[in-house]
Amino acid sequence: MLKIVLKIEGMACGMCEAHVNDVIRRAFSVKKVTSSHKNGETVILTKEDIADERLMDVVRSVGYTLATIRREPYEKTGLFARFAKK
Protein backbone atom coordinates (compact mmCIF):
# COMPACT_ATOMS: atom_id res chain seq x y z
CA MET A 1 0.00 0.00 0.00
CA LEU A 2 1.18 3.52 -0.82
CA LYS A 3 0.47 6.83 0.90
CA ILE A 4 0.52 9.87 -1.39
CA VAL A 5 0.47 13.27 0.33
CA LEU A 6 -0.49 16.26 -1.80
CA LYS A 7 0.09 19.86 -0.72
CA ILE A 8 -2.76 21.78 -2.32
CA GLU A 9 -3.10 25.55 -2.49
CA GLY A 10 -6.50 27.23 -2.58
CA MET A 11 -8.67 25.03 -0.34
CA ALA A 12 -10.59 27.31 2.04
CA CYS A 13 -13.41 25.25 3.54
CA GLY A 14 -15.03 21.85 3.96
CA MET A 15 -16.66 22.08 0.52
CA CYS A 16 -13.21 22.55 -1.01
CA GLU A 17 -12.10 19.35 0.74
CA ALA A 18 -15.16 17.52 -0.60
CA HIS A 19 -14.51 18.71 -4.18
CA VAL A 20 -10.92 17.48 -4.08
CA ASN A 21 -11.89 14.14 -2.48
CA ASP A 22 -14.70 13.56 -5.00
CA VAL A 23 -12.60 14.29 -8.07
CA ILE A 24 -9.79 12.01 -6.85
CA ARG A 25 -12.25 9.17 -6.13
CA ARG A 26 -13.78 9.54 -9.61
CA ALA A 27 -10.42 9.69 -11.41
CA PHE A 28 -8.47 6.97 -9.60
CA SER A 29 -8.95 3.65 -7.86
CA VAL A 30 -8.05 4.58 -4.28
CA LYS A 31 -8.63 2.90 -0.93
CA LYS A 32 -9.09 6.17 0.97
CA VAL A 33 -8.76 9.91 0.41
CA THR A 34 -8.97 12.67 3.02
CA SER A 35 -8.34 16.39 2.74
CA SER A 36 -7.71 19.21 5.20
CA HIS A 37 -8.10 22.82 4.12
CA LYS A 38 -6.45 23.92 7.38
CA ASN A 39 -3.30 21.95 6.55
CA GLY A 40 -3.62 22.47 2.79
CA GLU A 41 -3.17 18.75 2.38
CA THR A 42 -4.80 15.70 0.78
CA VAL A 43 -3.77 12.16 1.75
CA ILE A 44 -4.43 9.28 -0.65
CA LEU A 45 -4.09 5.59 0.23
CA THR A 46 -3.79 3.39 -2.84
CA LYS A 47 -2.48 0.03 -3.96
CA GLU A 48 -1.01 1.44 -7.19
CA ASP A 49 1.04 4.59 -7.75
CA ILE A 50 -0.52 7.54 -9.59
CA ALA A 51 1.51 9.61 -12.04
CA ASP A 52 2.33 13.17 -10.95
CA GLU A 53 0.95 14.65 -14.19
CA ARG A 54 -2.41 12.93 -13.72
CA LEU A 55 -2.65 14.15 -10.12
CA MET A 56 -1.84 17.71 -11.22
CA ASP A 57 -4.45 17.62 -13.99
CA VAL A 58 -7.19 16.30 -11.69
CA VAL A 59 -6.50 18.83 -8.92
CA ARG A 60 -6.31 21.65 -11.47
CA SER A 61 -9.65 20.57 -12.97
CA VAL A 62 -11.45 21.67 -9.78
CA GLY A 63 -9.57 24.96 -9.50
CA TYR A 64 -6.75 24.24 -7.06
CA THR A 65 -2.97 24.22 -7.37
CA LEU A 66 -0.93 21.13 -6.55
CA ALA A 67 2.25 22.43 -4.90
CA THR A 68 4.09 19.23 -3.88
CA ILE A 69 3.69 15.46 -3.91
CA ARG A 70 5.25 13.10 -1.36
CA ARG A 71 5.07 9.31 -1.41
CA GLU A 72 5.78 6.86 1.37
CA PRO A 73 4.99 3.23 2.08
CA TYR A 74 1.85 2.74 4.14
CA GLU A 75 1.24 -0.08 6.57
CA LYS A 76 -1.96 -0.23 8.53
CA THR A 77 -1.42 0.07 12.28
CA GLY A 78 -3.64 -0.51 15.24
CA LEU A 79 -5.29 -3.36 17.06
CA PHE A 80 -6.82 -5.15 14.08
CA ALA A 81 -3.73 -4.78 11.86
CA ARG A 82 -1.93 -7.26 14.14
CA PHE A 83 -4.50 -9.95 13.42
CA ALA A 84 -4.60 -9.30 9.67
CA LYS A 85 -0.90 -10.23 9.31
CA LYS A 86 -1.35 -13.70 10.73
Side-chain angles (χ1 to χ4, degrees):
M1 189 83 83
L2 182 64
K3 179 179 177 180
I4 304 173
V5 181
L6 311 176
K7 284 293 185 181
I8 298 179
E9 298 172 352
M11 289 193 294
C13 65
M15 285 304 296
C16 296
E17 296 169 359
H19 287 132
V20 171
N21 291 346
D22 289 344
V23 74
I24 289 173
R25 283 189 194 103
R26 285 193 307 265
F28 310 110
S29 176
V30 299
K31 286 290 189 180
K32 185 176 180 180
V33 59
T34 56
S35 295
S36 167
H37 71 278
K38 290 179 182 177
N39 297 330
E41 188 173 272
T42 295
V43 178
I44 302 168
L45 299 180
T46 181
K47 286 186 177 181
E48 297 180 18
D49 198 5
I50 302 169
D52 290 0
E53 297 80 23
R54 291 192 63 210
L55 287 167
M56 283 186 246
D57 290 343
V58 167
V59 170
R60 191 178 308 122
S61 76
V62 286
Y64 305 102
T65 302
L66 180 53
T68 63
I69 302 170
R70 185 178 83 240
R71 290 173 175 80
E72 57 191 59
Y74 176 79
E75 189 171 321
K76 190 173 183 176
T77 58
L79 177 63
F80 295 107
R82 244 186 338 184
F83 299 112
K85 290 182 181 183
K86 292 182 180 181

